[in-house]
Amino acid sequence: MPKKQKKKINAKGVFEKHIAPKMIGKDSDETIAIFCTLDRNYFYDVATKYALKERQISSLVGFKDEFFVLTLIGQIIKELKLEDVYYTKKVTANRNSGLLARKVRHNGKDILLTLGGDCVIFKKRDDRPVMILECKEYIDMIRLKEVIGESRLIKDEIIGSANLLREVSFCIFAEVLELTEEWGTLLKQSDLRHRIDEIFIVRNGKRKDKNNKPVKATLIEFKNFIIRFLQNGQ
C-alpha cells in the first residue's frame, strides 16, 4: 500500500489554523486587547513548534498585521452600522486585476495600470477604493524610500498618465521604526513622508526587541483615526 504523502506545512496554513482564530475578539476593543498581548516571541514559538524555516517565520509575522488590520476595520464598520456603506479586502495586483491606478497610452491603445494593497477600504455603492493601508514589518531607510515611492504612484500627477486614485487616502501600519533618532524626528515633523496620510508605528524599540508588545495607546489612536475617516466619508 503506498505511503500517505505528508502534508507540507507552510506559514499561511499555520497562521490560519493556529493563530488567526485566537486573534479575533468579540468586538474591536477586545481584538485590540488580544493584539497587545502578542510579542514577536509568541510568533517565533509557534513557528518553532511547527518547524517553519527562517523565511517562513517572516511571512508568519507579516500575516498577523494584515489580519489584525482587516479584522479590526471590519469590526469597526459593523459597530458603526456602516456595513451597507463600506467593505474591506486585501487586493493583489497583476496585469489583469487590482486597483485601477493609472491610465496610459501605449502602442496606440489606452492601458490601465493596477496596484495592490494589504487592506483596502471600498465604498459599497460603486466599489470605489477610498483608503489603501500597507502593513510593514519595519520601516528602515530602504522601506521609507519604498513607501514614499508608493505614495507617489498613488497620488502624484505623473506625466504621460491619468491618475485614477487621486482622492484615495494612503496609510502605513508598521511594527517598528528602524531609523536613526534624527531621521525619525524628521519623518514626524516635516513633509518627508511626501503624501502618506498617516504612519502608525505600533511597537517601541527595534525588531530585535522581541519582548516588546504593541502599544495599546497607538492602536486606540489607529482605531479612532479609522472611525473618523469612515464617519466623515459616508
Side-chain angles (χ1 to χ4, degrees):
M1 198 173 167
K3 279 187 182 179
K4 208 172 191 181
Q5 201 168 21
K6 197 173 179 183
K7 195 172 180 184
K8 192 175 178 183
I9 295 174
N10 59 47
K12 191 171 181 4
V14 169
F15 180 83
E16 289 177 347
K17 184 174 181 181
H18 301 287
I19 297 177
K22 298 175 183 175
M23 288 179 60
I24 305 171
K26 67 179 184 297
D27 56 27
S28 60
D29 286 336
E30 187 171 273
T31 295
I32 287 173
I34 293 168
F35 196 67
C36 286
T37 68
L38 304 177
D39 59 20
R40 289 173 72 87
N41 281 328
Y42 170 78
F43 296 96
Y44 277 85
D45 289 345
V46 173
T48 302
K49 181 178 178 181
Y50 294 99
L52 295 181
K53 295 190 170 139
E54 191 60 39
R55 188 174 292 181
Q56 292 177 312
I57 294 172
S58 291
S59 297
L60 190 75
V61 172
F63 288 142
K64 77 169 172 28
D65 294 323
E66 291 179 16
F67 183 79
F68 171 75
V69 168
L70 281 163
T71 300
L72 183 71
I73 294 177
Q75 289 177 322
I76 292 169
I77 289 171
K78 186 176 180 182
E79 289 161 11
L80 294 174
K81 298 184 171 29
L82 294 175
E83 300 106 306
D84 292 334
V85 182
Y86 299 105
Y87 68 94
T88 66
K89 67 177 181 178
K90 179 182 172 75
V91 176
T92 303
N94 57 43
R95 208 170 169 81
N96 302 309
S97 67
L99 302 173
L100 300 180
R102 303 227 162 228
K103 183 164 76 171
V104 298
R105 193 79 178 162
H106 182 69
N107 290 337
K109 291 192 276 187
D110 285 335
I111 304 292
L112 295 173
L113 305 180
T114 62
L115 291 173
D118 292 326
C119 175
V120 183
I121 302 176
F122 290 87
K123 277 282 187 74
K124 230 173 200 179
R125 183 177 62 245
D126 52 7
D127 294 320
R128 178 170 55 88
V130 292
M131 180 185 285
I132 299 170
L133 281 138
E134 284 295 316
C135 298
K136 302 294 180 184
E137 186 182 354
Y138 58 92
I139 293 182
D140 60 1
M141 280 305 296
I142 292 172
R143 292 204 174 190
L144 178 61
K145 288 183 276 188
E146 284 177 1
V147 295
I148 290 170
E150 285 181 63
S151 74
R152 183 160 191 252
L153 288 176
I154 292 166
K155 296 199 170 191
D156 278 7
E157 295 304 319
I158 298 174
I159 294 170
S161 73
N163 188 355
L164 306 178
L165 292 174
R166 187 182 298 105
E167 303 303 320
V168 172
S169 292
F170 177 57
C171 301
I172 305 296
F173 185 93
E175 271 268 302
V176 292
L177 191 65
E178 299 210 336
L179 298 173
T180 63
E181 184 181 341
E182 295 79 11
W183 275 110
T185 301
L186 188 64
L187 180 62
K188 287 176 188 172
Q189 297 179 358
S190 74
D191 61 355
L192 172 63
R193 66 177 61 192
H194 192 54
R195 300 182 70 183
I196 302 169
D197 292 282
E198 288 291 343
I199 299 176
F200 294 91
I201 308 296
V202 300
R203 279 200 305 122
N204 294 323
K206 311 294 182 188
R207 277 172 292 167
K208 65 185 171 104
D209 302 313
K210 293 179 183 174
N211 292 318
N212 288 2
K213 294 178 171 67
V215 177
K216 189 172 185 180
T218 304
L219 297 179
I220 290 171
E221 181 189 347
F222 175 68
K223 174 184 171 177
N224 290 335
F225 170 77
I226 295 296
I227 288 172
R228 288 192 302 272
F229 178 85
L230 296 174
Q231 289 177 330
N232 294 337
Q234 290 181 68

